[in-house]
Amino acid sequence: MPLMPKRTKFRKTQRGNRGGNAQRGTEVSFGDFGLQSLGRSWMSNRQIEACRISINRFLKRKGKVYIRVFPHKSVTAKPAETRMGKGKGAVDRWVAVIKPGAMIFEIAGVPEADAKEALRLASNKLGFRTRFVERNKLIS
């Protein structure tokens, strides 16, 4: 079952503005380690699922994985070899808008080396640059 909204107010969305940096969701909030975006892109529901599977396969059901992005935006496409005009195409896929600084995945309950490798495998499935980040440790 692919990730997609249960229902939306409108079926088709406009392309929108991809400029700027992520304003919220930029820190490790749930887990101990995270995968943070350094580029901007549309991340499809299939990419999110491929990353989730690669992380879970590597961790072998240890720890907890948090997915911090959700594909709210519909992207339309017209069939191949179709002439111009005759309206906007049907919904083709669902994407999450990723801006620089957005936290994409978080992992809790595993050693740093395992989390780093799992998130590296996930980042290979993406078409933009990412970095491994750790939860801010309070100095006491």
Side-chain angles (χ1 to χ4, degrees):
M1 186 73 188
L3 261 127
M4 60 167 48
K6 283 195 180 82
R7 59 185 297 275
T8 57
K9 191 167 184 178
F10 300 105
R11 275 186 316 138
K12 299 173 183 179
T13 59
Q14 294 188 331
R15 294 176 70 84
N17 171 25
R18 289 196 221 185
N21 296 331
Q23 297 298 306
R24 50 183 80 78
T26 58
E27 285 165 16
V28 181
S29 303
F30 301 99
D32 303 320
F33 309 100
L35 187 69
Q36 188 177 40
S37 158
L38 295 176
R40 67 184 78 247
S41 178
W42 282 347
M43 190 172 172
S44 73
N45 53 0
R46 296 176 68 171
Q47 284 177 306
I48 295 170
E49 186 65 9
C51 290
R52 184 190 69 79
I53 288 168
S54 70
I55 291 169
N56 286 336
R57 282 216 177 118
F58 180 80
L59 294 179
K60 298 192 174 99
R61 292 175 44 202
K62 291 180 184 72
K64 178 140 179 63
V65 178
Y66 298 91
I67 303 171
R68 295 283 308 272
V69 293
F70 187 83
H72 290 289
K73 185 183 200 62
S74 62
V75 177
T76 61
K78 297 189 78 154
E81 299 180 16
T82 304
R83 291 187 179 186
M84 292 288 103
K86 301 206 172 26
K88 190 167 173 146
V91 173
D92 181 50
R93 63 191 188 276
W94 293 86
V95 297
V97 178
I98 306 293
K99 293 185 174 185
M103 199 60 61
I104 304 167
F105 294 101
E106 291 184 20
I107 297 180
V110 294
E112 182 178 355
D114 288 352
K116 202 168 212 166
E117 180 60 17
L119 292 174
R120 185 191 68 78
L121 291 169
S123 71
N124 289 337
K125 308 270 184 266
L126 303 174
F128 52 90
R129 288 179 56 235
T130 58
R131 72 176 172 191
F132 177 82
V133 290
E134 236 179 299
R135 179 186 279 274
N136 293 338
K137 298 225 178 345
L138 294 172
I139 300 161
S140 56

